[in-house]
Amino acid sequence: MEPYELTVAEAAEAVRTRRVSPVELVDSALARIARVEPRLKAFTTVTADRARDAARRAETAIARGAHRGPLHGMPVGLKDLIDVAGMATTASSRVRSGHRAEADSTVAARLASAGAALVGKTHTHEFAYGLTTPQTANAWDPDRVAGGSSGGSAVAVAAGAAAFALGTDTGGSIRVPAALNGVVGLKPTYGLVPRHGVTSLAWSLDHVGPLTRTVEDAGLVLAALVGHDPRDPASVAAPPADHRPGRGTDPTDLTGLRVGVPGNYYFDRVDPEVEAAVRRAIGRLEELGARLVDVEIPMTRYIRAAHWGLMVPEATAYHERTLRAVPDLYEADIRVLLEAGELMTAGDYLRAQRARTLMGRAWRDMLEAVDLIAAPTVPLTAVESGRTGVTWGDGSVESVADAYVRLSAPANLTGVPALSLPVGLDSAGLPIGMQLMGRPFGEAAVLRAGHALERTGTARGLAPDRAA
């Protein structure tokens, strides 16, 4: 096994016991980038010298007994919305050409403090305003979409180019590419991970979280990111929690866990192979001791309108100056969305806020009866690059972007934690993702259930080597 194939947990143990060095880990990741990047194009920039310097420092520190924990020496990719002092933060846009960050974002600083080695910045759909990341190819099939907007981060992890990566999620932008590339993506509770120094899409919906190869790794990375930061107005001082799953005597025992199975919305207009794989995984949760409970998702008719009613005007407000100054530097699809936001009224925005408030209360009431909701992450697997629409069995037609965001947006509106993990492959050999959603600050339950599935062989590892 090559060092790049190790999970964070495996690599951390190998580093701790000095069977593998941080330099070997980083060199292996950089060699992997050189092999797959010409086809996958996951990175906006590769920071090889910076990564090797960090790896050498980590190796020296660990040799003298100053081991900082499981992320020390781990190769990491950061979505190119996340500031690192002195580096470009381009948001994969010509609008940001020449931009340099003056200081580290909170999450970049925390990862640096944990000893992680930055191997590069990863592509996003321009300013995170899309669900495909058109610059980047899917790690399982380079002729298909990577998903977005954190497509570069998901592909880097799936291809072995980084041990883990960070993404952002405003309507599913961590979970969608995680599902399409067969990796794990965690959108934490709103406010749990600070966003200071992270380029915004929509302030009231944005989240930062990890993309990893395993649920266990997601917990290890989350533990390094949490903590109040007053520079982010949404940041909260959450109660202390152990985000590392599987700490009990039997990590596969889910006795007492109540898992809600939606009777509406989440299984509507879903590919039959996706539905079958997710329902099998739900059945596996029951076999592990969880109790399945039928639930009704509230206020579903308002989900799309409320999400777009918040995201579109907030994004337009963020881009107001540059949209007027350099409109031609935006890609056509993003410019249209930003201009559409100028047509929305204050009344539209306030009605969306009210709907979100009512929806949040309704979800909290629903989650009193269960610990988790289990559902598909996306209704279909990765489509061919350039495909714009989906025709469902009932004859209805939906855009690819609307299809991918439909099942992920509710967790952004309500702010609840949501984990996507792989639960199988379709007949084309493409990954299928399941989503576990919990109560606010209920990451421990979400990670516990995901880890139990992972330990019983439901999840998958690296993508097959088809990109070179």
Side-chain angles (χ1 to χ4, degrees):
M1 178 179 285
E2 296 293 326
Y4 77 82
E5 298 178 85
L6 298 171
T7 68
V8 171
E10 291 167 344
E13 179 62 15
V15 167
R16 188 187 68 80
T17 57
R18 302 190 190 180
R19 289 182 286 112
V20 175
S21 75
V23 170
E24 290 173 312
L25 284 174
V26 166
D27 282 345
S28 184
L30 292 172
R32 186 66 179 160
I33 291 171
R35 176 175 169 80
V36 302
E37 184 63 10
R39 185 85 189 270
L40 297 182
K41 297 179 172 59
F43 290 88
T44 62
T45 185
V46 176
T47 54
D49 291 342
R50 182 189 186 104
R52 290 191 175 103
D53 286 345
R56 285 191 288 267
R57 290 195 301 272
E59 187 167 302
T60 299
I62 292 167
R64 66 170 186 263
H67 188 226
R68 300 185 192 178
L71 304 188
H72 204 173
M74 296 300 117
V76 58
L78 297 180
K79 185 176 182 177
D80 199 18
L81 301 179
I82 298 171
D83 281 354
V84 176
M87 288 184 60
T89 305
T90 71
S92 294
S93 176
R94 293 176 296 170
V95 175
R96 284 287 188 89
S97 177
H99 173 273
R100 290 289 183 275
E102 295 181 358
D104 281 347
S105 59
T106 303
V107 290
R110 289 179 178 176
L111 290 180
S113 179
L118 179 64
V119 294
K121 292 286 201 77
T122 58
H123 267 302
T124 173
H125 204 121
E126 186 177 22
F127 283 106
Y129 213 169
L131 274 297
T132 60
T133 317
Q135 311 93 323
T136 301
N138 189 284
W140 286 71
D141 182 347
D143 294 325
R144 294 178 182 265
V145 299
S149 61
S150 304
S153 289
V155 169
V157 172
F164 71 97
L166 295 192
T168 65
D169 193 311
T170 305
S173 290
I174 288 173
R175 291 161 289 150
V176 171
L180 300 189
N181 289 279
V183 298
V184 172
L186 174 63
K187 182 199 78 65
T189 302
Y190 184 73
L192 183 64
V193 175
R195 303 164 306 173
H196 172 73
V198 179
T199 301
S200 178
L201 173 56
W203 296 288
S204 70
L205 298 166
D206 292 340
H207 303 66
V208 177
L211 291 112
T212 59
R213 280 179 224 138
T214 69
V215 176
E216 181 180 18
D217 287 357
L220 294 174
V221 177
L222 181 64
L225 301 177
V226 299
H228 180 246
D229 183 349
R231 296 172 297 180
D232 176 2
S235 180
V236 295
D242 188 350
H243 297 293
R244 298 167 297 171
R247 311 303 288 181
T249 55
D250 184 358
T252 64
D253 183 5
L254 298 180
T255 301
L257 191 74
R258 298 167 300 172
V259 176
V261 182
N264 65 325
Y265 190 74
Y266 276 101
F267 290 99
D268 298 341
R269 290 187 296 166
V270 170
D271 180 270
E273 290 187 290
V274 171
E275 178 172 357
V278 171
R279 290 200 184 276
R280 283 195 298 270
I282 292 172
R284 186 62 182 141
L285 290 173
E286 185 176 32
E287 293 171 3
L288 295 174
R291 180 163 64 90
L292 304 186
V293 180
D294 293 334
V295 296
E296 192 81 3
I297 304 299
M299 300 182 65
T300 58
R301 63 182 293 189
Y302 301 107
I303 289 171
R304 183 181 179 194
H307 183 252
W308 283 93
L310 296 169
M311 183 175 67
V312 173
E314 288 183 7
T316 299
Y318 182 87
H319 289 273
E320 183 175 13
R321 292 184 180 178
T322 48
L323 184 61
R324 284 171 168 74
V326 288
D328 293 338
L329 295 184
Y330 289 94
E331 296 298 324
D333 61 330
I334 306 307
R335 180 176 171 181
V336 167
L337 288 169
L338 293 174
E339 289 173 343
E342 295 185 322
L343 303 177
M344 298 186 72
T345 68
D348 294 332
Y349 183 70
L350 292 173
R351 281 186 286 272
Q353 288 282 19
R354 184 170 184 268
R356 193 236 310 262
T357 299
L358 295 174
M359 200 177 299
R361 292 175 182 171
W363 271 65
R364 285 193 293 273
D365 290 343
M366 175 180 62
L367 286 165
E368 285 295 314
V370 294
D371 302 297
L372 301 175
I373 304 293
T377 305
V378 287
L380 73 167
T381 55
V383 301
E384 301 86 352
S385 298
R387 181 175 166 186
T388 58
V390 181
T391 301
W392 296 107
D394 60 4
S396 63
V397 178
E398 187 175 28
S399 74
V400 168
D402 284 348
Y404 282 153
V405 77
R406 174 161 39 93
L407 305 185
S408 54
N412 295 88
L413 282 167
T414 57
V416 301
L419 175 79
S420 179
L421 73 157
V423 292
L425 302 176
D426 69 6
S427 56
L430 298 170
I432 295 169
M434 183 173 81
Q435 188 173 197
L436 298 172
M437 296 164 281
R439 298 170 185 163
F441 306 106
E443 278 77 5
V446 169
L447 292 166
R448 175 190 172 198
H451 184 58
L453 282 175
E454 183 172 85
R455 288 290 294 266
T456 56
T458 305
R460 299 187 64 87
L462 287 166
D465 194 356
R466 299 172 182 163

mmCIF file of all heavy atoms in Angstrom, residues 372-412:
data_model
loop_
_atom_site.group_PDB
_atom_site.id
_atom_site.type_symbol
_atom_site.label_atom_id
_atom_site.label_comp_id
_atom_site.label_asym_id
_atom_site.label_seq_id
_atom_site.Cartn_x
_atom_site.Cartn_y
_atom_site.Cartn_z
ATOM 1 N N LEU A 372 -31.876 10.806 14.328
ATOM 2 C CA LEU A 372 -31.331 11.039 13.000
ATOM 3 C C LEU A 372 -32.429 10.916 11.963
ATOM 4 O O LEU A 372 -33.440 10.249 12.186
ATOM 5 C CB LEU A 372 -30.250 9.991 12.646
ATOM 6 C CG LEU A 372 -29.028 9.844 13.515
ATOM 7 C CD1 LEU A 372 -28.202 8.664 13.001
ATOM 8 C CD2 LEU A 372 -28.194 11.110 13.475
ATOM 9 N N ILE A 373 -32.184 11.537 10.803
ATOM 10 C CA ILE A 373 -32.962 11.286 9.598
ATOM 11 C C ILE A 373 -32.015 10.654 8.583
ATOM 12 O O ILE A 373 -30.902 11.146 8.368
ATOM 13 C CB ILE A 373 -33.542 12.590 9.017
ATOM 14 C CG1 ILE A 373 -34.387 13.331 10.052
ATOM 15 C CG2 ILE A 373 -34.333 12.299 7.736
ATOM 16 C CD1 ILE A 373 -35.658 12.623 10.436
ATOM 17 N N ALA A 374 -32.429 9.566 7.954
ATOM 18 C CA ALA A 374 -31.623 8.887 6.938
ATOM 19 C C ALA A 374 -32.316 9.012 5.590
ATOM 20 O O ALA A 374 -33.514 8.732 5.478
ATOM 21 C CB ALA A 374 -31.425 7.416 7.296
ATOM 22 N N ALA A 375 -31.562 9.411 4.563
ATOM 23 C CA ALA A 375 -32.150 9.670 3.253
ATOM 24 C C ALA A 375 -31.050 9.689 2.202
ATOM 25 O O ALA A 375 -29.860 9.739 2.527
ATOM 26 C CB ALA A 375 -32.878 11.014 3.273
ATOM 27 N N PRO A 376 -31.401 9.675 0.918
ATOM 28 C CA PRO A 376 -30.381 9.865 -0.115
ATOM 29 C C PRO A 376 -29.737 11.250 -0.012
ATOM 30 O O PRO A 376 -30.389 12.215 0.400
ATOM 31 C CB PRO A 376 -31.174 9.738 -1.430
ATOM 32 C CG PRO A 376 -32.433 9.038 -1.070
ATOM 33 C CD PRO A 376 -32.737 9.436 0.345
ATOM 34 N N THR A 377 -28.461 11.348 -0.377
ATOM 35 C CA THR A 377 -27.798 12.649 -0.453
ATOM 36 C C THR A 377 -28.235 13.395 -1.701
ATOM 37 O O THR A 377 -28.567 14.579 -1.659
ATOM 38 C CB THR A 377 -26.273 12.480 -0.475
ATOM 39 O OG1 THR A 377 -25.850 11.709 0.651
ATOM 40 C CG2 THR A 377 -25.580 13.838 -0.445
ATOM 41 N N VAL A 378 -28.198 12.706 -2.825
ATOM 42 C CA VAL A 378 -28.632 13.251 -4.117
ATOM 43 C C VAL A 378 -29.511 12.201 -4.787
ATOM 44 O O VAL A 378 -29.361 11.002 -4.535
ATOM 45 C CB VAL A 378 -27.446 13.623 -5.026
ATOM 46 C CG1 VAL A 378 -26.745 14.876 -4.544
ATOM 47 C CG2 VAL A 378 -26.454 12.476 -5.135
ATOM 48 N N PRO A 379 -30.428 12.608 -5.659
ATOM 49 C CA PRO A 379 -31.361 11.645 -6.242
ATOM 50 C C PRO A 379 -30.801 10.822 -7.388
ATOM 51 O O PRO A 379 -31.455 9.874 -7.824
ATOM 52 C CB PRO A 379 -32.517 12.534 -6.721
ATOM 53 C CG PRO A 379 -31.897 13.848 -6.983
ATOM 54 C CD PRO A 379 -30.799 13.999 -5.973
ATOM 55 N N LEU A 380 -29.611 11.159 -7.865
ATOM 56 C CA LEU A 380 -28.993 10.389 -8.943
ATOM 57 C C LEU A 380 -27.481 10.517 -8.844
ATOM 58 O O LEU A 380 -26.967 11.425 -8.186
ATOM 59 C CB LEU A 380 -29.471 10.847 -10.308
ATOM 60 C CG LEU A 380 -28.986 12.187 -10.884
ATOM 61 C CD1 LEU A 380 -29.337 12.268 -12.362
ATOM 62 C CD2 LEU A 380 -29.610 13.376 -10.164
ATOM 63 N N THR A 381 -26.781 9.595 -9.484
ATOM 64 C CA THR A 381 -25.320 9.597 -9.439
ATOM 65 C C THR A 381 -24.780 10.624 -10.435
ATOM 66 O O THR A 381 -25.522 11.404 -11.015
ATOM 67 C CB THR A 381 -24.783 8.186 -9.720
ATOM 68 O OG1 THR A 381 -25.309 7.715 -10.960
ATOM 69 C CG2 THR A 381 -25.189 7.222 -8.613
ATOM 70 N N ALA A 382 -23.470 10.625 -10.619
ATOM 71 C CA ALA A 382 -22.824 11.649 -11.445
ATOM 72 C C ALA A 382 -23.271 11.542 -12.906
ATOM 73 O O ALA A 382 -23.150 10.479 -13.524
ATOM 74 C CB ALA A 382 -21.305 11.513 -11.350
ATOM 75 N N VAL A 383 -23.747 12.652 -13.450
ATOM 76 C CA VAL A 383 -24.180 12.673 -14.850
ATOM 77 C C VAL A 383 -23.002 13.011 -15.755
ATOM 78 O O VAL A 383 -21.946 13.470 -15.304
ATOM 79 C CB VAL A 383 -25.318 13.693 -15.071
ATOM 80 C CG1 VAL A 383 -26.517 13.358 -14.195
ATOM 81 C CG2 VAL A 383 -24.837 15.124 -14.823
ATOM 82 N N GLU A 384 -23.199 12.804 -17.046
ATOM 83 C CA GLU A 384 -22.166 13.111 -18.018
ATOM 84 C C GLU A 384 -21.907 14.616 -18.052
ATOM 85 O O GLU A 384 -22.822 15.429 -17.928
ATOM 86 C CB GLU A 384 -22.596 12.643 -19.413
ATOM 87 C CG GLU A 384 -22.886 11.150 -19.511
ATOM 88 C CD GLU A 384 -24.310 10.797 -19.120
ATOM 89 O OE1 GLU A 384 -25.044 11.692 -18.616
ATOM 90 O OE2 GLU A 384 -24.683 9.627 -19.311
ATOM 91 N N SER A 385 -20.657 14.997 -18.228
ATOM 92 C CA SER A 385 -20.305 16.413 -18.327
ATOM 93 C C SER A 385 -21.079 17.048 -19.481
ATOM 94 O O SER A 385 -21.165 16.478 -20.575
ATOM 95 C CB SER A 385 -18.798 16.576 -18.560
ATOM 96 O OG SER A 385 -18.071 16.056 -17.478
ATOM 97 N N GLY A 386 -21.633 18.217 -19.236
ATOM 98 C CA GLY A 386 -22.396 18.918 -20.250
ATOM 99 C C GLY A 386 -23.874 18.627 -20.229
ATOM 100 O O GLY A 386 -24.658 19.353 -20.857
ATOM 101 N N ARG A 387 -24.289 17.605 -19.540
ATOM 102 C CA ARG A 387 -25.723 17.292 -19.460
ATOM 103 C C ARG A 387 -26.407 18.322 -18.578
ATOM 104 O O ARG A 387 -25.920 18.661 -17.498
ATOM 105 C CB ARG A 387 -25.922 15.894 -18.893
ATOM 106 C CG ARG A 387 -27.378 15.445 -18.793
ATOM 107 C CD ARG A 387 -27.429 14.002 -18.336
ATOM 108 N NE ARG A 387 -28.763 13.601 -17.917
ATOM 109 C CZ ARG A 387 -29.045 12.419 -17.359
ATOM 110 N NH1 ARG A 387 -28.076 11.542 -17.162
ATOM 111 N NH2 ARG A 387 -30.274 12.126 -17.007
ATOM 112 N N THR A 388 -27.571 18.805 -19.002
ATOM 113 C CA THR A 388 -28.226 19.891 -18.275
ATOM 114 C C THR A 388 -29.536 19.485 -17.608
ATOM 115 O O THR A 388 -30.001 20.183 -16.714
ATOM 116 C CB THR A 388 -28.521 21.073 -19.211
ATOM 117 O OG1 THR A 388 -29.346 20.624 -20.296
ATOM 118 C CG2 THR A 388 -27.216 21.660 -19.754
ATOM 119 N N GLY A 389 -30.159 18.377 -18.055
ATOM 120 C CA GLY A 389 -31.472 18.032 -17.533
ATOM 121 C C GLY A 389 -31.620 16.576 -17.166
ATOM 122 O O GLY A 389 -30.849 15.709 -17.602
ATOM 123 N N VAL A 390 -32.637 16.290 -16.343
ATOM 124 C CA VAL A 390 -32.974 14.939 -15.905
ATOM 125 C C VAL A 390 -34.463 14.738 -16.169
ATOM 126 O O VAL A 390 -35.281 15.574 -15.770
ATOM 127 C CB VAL A 390 -32.698 14.748 -14.397
ATOM 128 C CG1 VAL A 390 -33.027 13.320 -13.979
ATOM 129 C CG2 VAL A 390 -31.265 15.103 -14.049
ATOM 130 N N THR A 391 -34.822 13.638 -16.825
ATOM 131 C CA THR A 391 -36.217 13.283 -17.025
ATOM 132 C C THR A 391 -36.555 12.120 -16.101
ATOM 133 O O THR A 391 -35.933 11.053 -16.164
ATOM 134 C CB THR A 391 -36.482 12.876 -18.488
ATOM 135 O OG1 THR A 391 -36.125 13.962 -19.351
ATOM 136 C CG2 THR A 391 -37.953 12.541 -18.689
ATOM 137 N N TRP A 392 -37.533 12.327 -15.235
ATOM 138 C CA TRP A 392 -37.898 11.323 -14.246
ATOM 139 C C TRP A 392 -38.961 10.388 -14.793
ATOM 140 O O TRP A 392 -39.586 10.648 -15.829
ATOM 141 C CB TRP A 392 -38.364 12.002 -12.960
ATOM 142 C CG TRP A 392 -37.266 12.790 -12.312
ATOM 143 C CD1 TRP A 392 -37.126 14.136 -12.261
ATOM 144 C CD2 TRP A 392 -36.123 12.250 -11.635
ATOM 145 N NE1 TRP A 392 -35.969 14.481 -11.601
ATOM 146 C CE2 TRP A 392 -35.329 13.351 -11.204
ATOM 147 C CE3 TRP A 392 -35.675 10.958 -11.363
ATOM 148 C CZ2 TRP A 392 -34.133 13.185 -10.512
ATOM 149 C CZ3 TRP A 392 -34.484 10.784 -10.665
ATOM 150 C CH2 TRP A 392 -33.736 11.893 -10.246
ATOM 151 N N GLY A 393 -39.208 9.310 -14.073
ATOM 152 C CA GLY A 393 -40.159 8.308 -14.528
ATOM 153 C C GLY A 393 -41.582 8.806 -14.694
ATOM 154 O O GLY A 393 -42.351 8.245 -15.471
ATOM 155 N N ASP A 394 -41.931 9.881 -13.958
ATOM 156 C CA ASP A 394 -43.278 10.438 -14.088
ATOM 157 C C ASP A 394 -43.393 11.413 -15.252
ATOM 158 O O ASP A 394 -44.436 12.042 -15.444
ATOM 159 C CB ASP A 394 -43.708 11.129 -12.789
ATOM 160 C CG ASP A 394 -42.784 12.288 -12.394
ATOM 161 O OD1 ASP A 394 -41.839 12.610 -13.162
ATOM 162 O OD2 ASP A 394 -42.995 12.861 -11.316
ATOM 163 N N GLY A 395 -42.299 11.554 -16.018
ATOM 164 C CA GLY A 395 -42.309 12.452 -17.159
ATOM 165 C C GLY A 395 -41.845 13.859 -16.859
ATOM 166 O O GLY A 395 -41.660 14.664 -17.786
ATOM 167 N N SER A 396 -41.661 14.184 -15.595
ATOM 168 C CA SER A 396 -41.214 15.533 -15.232
ATOM 169 C C SER A 396 -39.746 15.712 -15.579
ATOM 170 O O SER A 396 -38.962 14.753 -15.580
ATOM 171 C CB SER A 396 -41.436 15.797 -13.745
ATOM 172 O OG SER A 396 -40.654 14.918 -12.957
ATOM 173 N N VAL A 397 -39.376 16.940 -15.891
ATOM 174 C CA VAL A 397 -38.005 17.287 -16.254
ATOM 175 C C VAL A 397 -37.466 18.260 -15.222
ATOM 176 O O VAL A 397 -38.152 19.196 -14.805
ATOM 177 C CB VAL A 397 -37.930 17.899 -17.663
ATOM 178 C CG1 VAL A 397 -36.500 18.289 -18.009
ATOM 179 C CG2 VAL A 397 -38.488 16.927 -18.696
ATOM 180 N N GLU A 398 -36.228 18.047 -14.808
ATOM 181 C CA GLU A 398 -35.594 18.864 -13.779
ATOM 182 C C GLU A 398 -34.174 19.167 -14.234
ATOM 183 O O GLU A 398 -33.508 18.313 -14.835
ATOM 184 C CB GLU A 398 -35.583 18.094 -12.462
ATOM 185 C CG GLU A 398 -35.120 18.866 -11.252
ATOM 186 C CD GLU A 398 -35.253 18.047 -9.966
ATOM 187 O OE1 GLU A 398 -35.182 16.792 -10.039
ATOM 188 O OE2 GLU A 398 -35.420 18.654 -8.906
ATOM 189 N N SER A 399 -33.696 20.376 -13.964
ATOM 190 C CA SER A 399 -32.302 20.666 -14.289
ATOM 191 C C SER A 399 -31.390 19.847 -13.388
ATOM 192 O O SER A 399 -31.771 19.462 -12.269
ATOM 193 C CB SER A 399 -32.004 22.151 -14.116
ATOM 194 O OG SER A 399 -31.926 22.496 -12.736
ATOM 195 N N VAL A 400 -30.192 19.566 -13.876
ATOM 196 C CA VAL A 400 -29.226 18.813 -13.075
ATOM 197 C C VAL A 400 -28.935 19.541 -11.764
ATOM 198 O O VAL A 400 -28.890 18.918 -10.691
ATOM 199 C CB VAL A 400 -27.933 18.585 -13.884
ATOM 200 C CG1 VAL A 400 -26.811 18.067 -12.988
ATOM 201 C CG2 VAL A 400 -28.189 17.600 -15.022
ATOM 202 N N ALA A 401 -28.760 20.858 -11.825
ATOM 203 C CA ALA A 401 -28.459 21.621 -10.614
ATOM 204 C C ALA A 401 -29.594 21.514 -9.608
ATOM 205 O O ALA A 401 -29.366 21.316 -8.402
ATOM 206 C CB ALA A 401 -28.197 23.085 -10.968
ATOM 207 N N ASP A 402 -30.848 21.660 -10.069
ATOM 208 C CA ASP A 402 -31.983 21.551 -9.148
ATOM 209 C C ASP A 402 -32.082 20.157 -8.559
ATOM 210 O O ASP A 402 -32.420 19.992 -7.373
ATOM 211 C CB ASP A 402 -33.280 21.915 -9.872
ATOM 212 C CG ASP A 402 -33.444 23.403 -10.092
ATOM 213 O OD1 ASP A 402 -32.676 24.187 -9.487
ATOM 214 O OD2 ASP A 402 -34.330 23.796 -10.873
ATOM 215 N N ALA A 403 -31.800 19.141 -9.358
ATOM 216 C CA ALA A 403 -31.852 17.776 -8.850
ATOM 217 C C ALA A 403 -30.816 17.553 -7.754
ATOM 218 O O ALA A 403 -31.110 16.963 -6.706
ATOM 219 C CB ALA A 403 -31.632 16.785 -9.990
ATOM 220 N N TYR A 404 -29.605 18.037 -7.987
ATOM 221 C CA TYR A 404 -28.542 17.801 -7.010
ATOM 222 C C TYR A 404 -28.760 18.571 -5.704
ATOM 223 O O TYR A 404 -28.379 18.109 -4.636
ATOM 224 C CB TYR A 404 -27.186 18.155 -7.612
ATOM 225 C CG TYR A 404 -26.629 17.106 -8.542
ATOM 226 C CD1 TYR A 404 -25.756 17.442 -9.567
ATOM 227 C CD2 TYR A 404 -26.954 15.754 -8.392
ATOM 228 C CE1 TYR A 404 -25.228 16.479 -10.428
ATOM 229 C CE2 TYR A 404 -26.442 14.790 -9.245
ATOM 230 C CZ TYR A 404 -25.581 15.154 -10.262
ATOM 231 O OH TYR A 404 -25.058 14.195 -11.102
ATOM 232 N N VAL A 405 -29.370 19.743 -5.764
ATOM 233 C CA VAL A 405 -29.533 20.547 -4.559
ATOM 234 C C VAL A 405 -30.805 20.196 -3.785
ATOM 235 O O VAL A 405 -30.930 20.515 -2.596
ATOM 236 C CB VAL A 405 -29.528 22.056 -4.900
ATOM 237 C CG1 VAL A 405 -30.856 22.499 -5.498
ATOM 238 C CG2 VAL A 405 -29.170 22.911 -3.687
ATOM 239 N N ARG A 406 -31.741 19.513 -4.423
ATOM 240 C CA ARG A 406 -33.078 19.341 -3.852
ATOM 241 C C ARG A 406 -33.070 18.650 -2.492
ATOM 242 O O ARG A 406 -33.785 19.047 -1.567
ATOM 243 C CB ARG A 406 -33.938 18.546 -4.852
ATOM 244 C CG ARG A 406 -35.305 18.160 -4.340
ATOM 245 C CD ARG A 406 -36.275 17.804 -5.450
ATOM 246 N NE ARG A 406 -35.720 17.048 -6.543
ATOM 247 C CZ ARG A 406 -35.732 15.702 -6.640
ATOM 248 N NH1 ARG A 406 -36.227 14.981 -5.660
ATOM 249 N NH2 ARG A 406 -35.238 15.101 -7.727
ATOM 250 N N LEU A 407 -32.257 17.600 -2.344
ATOM 251 C CA LEU A 407 -32.272 16.830 -1.107
ATOM 252 C C LEU A 407 -31.270 17.335 -0.070
ATOM 253 O O LEU A 407 -31.330 16.930 1.096
ATOM 254 C CB LEU A 407 -32.000 15.354 -1.406
ATOM 255 C CG LEU A 407 -32.924 14.691 -2.424
ATOM 256 C CD1 LEU A 407 -32.623 13.203 -2.525
ATOM 257 C CD2 LEU A 407 -34.389 14.928 -2.086
ATOM 258 N N SER A 408 -30.368 18.198 -0.475
ATOM 259 C CA SER A 408 -29.352 18.698 0.458
ATOM 260 C C SER A 408 -29.720 20.045 1.073
ATOM 261 O O SER A 408 -29.312 20.346 2.196
ATOM 262 C CB SER A 408 -27.990 18.799 -0.237
ATOM 263 O OG SER A 408 -28.075 19.573 -1.414
ATOM 264 N N ALA A 409 -30.499 20.869 0.354
ATOM 265 C CA ALA A 409 -30.798 22.223 0.827
ATOM 266 C C ALA A 409 -31.510 22.285 2.178
ATOM 267 O O ALA A 409 -31.271 23.218 2.954
ATOM 268 C CB ALA A 409 -31.617 22.969 -0.228
ATOM 269 N N PRO A 410 -32.401 21.342 2.526
ATOM 270 C CA PRO A 410 -33.080 21.469 3.822
ATOM 271 C C PRO A 410 -32.142 21.566 5.020
ATOM 272 O O PRO A 410 -32.432 22.289 5.982
ATOM 273 C CB PRO A 410 -33.943 20.199 3.884
ATOM 274 C CG PRO A 410 -34.240 19.888 2.456
ATOM 275 C CD PRO A 410 -32.983 20.248 1.719
ATOM 276 N N ALA A 411 -31.014 20.862 4.981
ATOM 277 C CA ALA A 411 -30.082 20.922 6.117
ATOM 278 C C ALA A 411 -29.402 22.282 6.214
ATOM 279 O O ALA A 411 -28.985 22.691 7.306
ATOM 280 C CB ALA A 411 -29.044 19.813 6.008
ATOM 281 N N ASN A 412 -29.282 22.995 5.089
ATOM 282 C CA ASN A 412 -28.741 24.355 5.142
ATOM 283 C C ASN A 412 -29.770 25.328 5.700
ATOM 284 O O ASN A 412 -29.443 26.213 6.497
ATOM 285 C CB ASN A 412 -28.299 24.806 3.752
ATOM 286 C CG ASN A 412 -27.149 23.988 3.220
ATOM 287 O OD1 ASN A 412 -27.373 22.953 2.603
ATOM 288 N ND2 ASN A 412 -25.921 24.415 3.465
#
